[in-house]
Amino acid sequence: MRAVVAALSLFVVVAAIWAAIGYVYADDGKAASATTLGLCVLAVGWLSVLIAVTIKFVRLRARRRDSDPGD
């Protein structure tokens, strides 16, 4: 679980960096550009981590079900 929290935290930092890049390179609407870019990067990162965690738990549950001697 610590690895998941660390990965989510890493994407927060990466999103903040991309938000700063979006702010610097935007011509008009700097705050809107930074917010949009940062939130998009954050959403993609968090979704990828959550999908990976879901796949991991589904596979673990299936493995436990297959090895259950109660059948």
Side-chain angles (χ1 to χ4, degrees):
M1 204 60 184
R2 271 190 247 165
V4 172
V5 172
L8 293 176
S9 301
L10 177 67
F11 277 109
V12 169
V13 172
V14 170
I17 292 170
W18 275 102
I21 291 171
Y23 183 82
V24 169
Y25 287 108
D27 292 329
D28 295 326
K30 289 184 175 274
S33 178
T35 303
T36 303
L37 190 57
L39 288 178
C40 286
V41 170
L42 186 64
V44 168
W46 280 27
L47 280 175
S48 64
V49 170
L50 293 176
I51 288 170
V53 168
T54 302
I55 291 171
K56 176 86 172 175
F57 281 128
V58 167
R59 291 179 69 195
L60 181 62
R61 187 180 303 156
R63 189 178 321 144
R64 286 183 181 170
R65 193 177 318 122
D66 291 342
S67 68
D68 187 23
D71 288 337

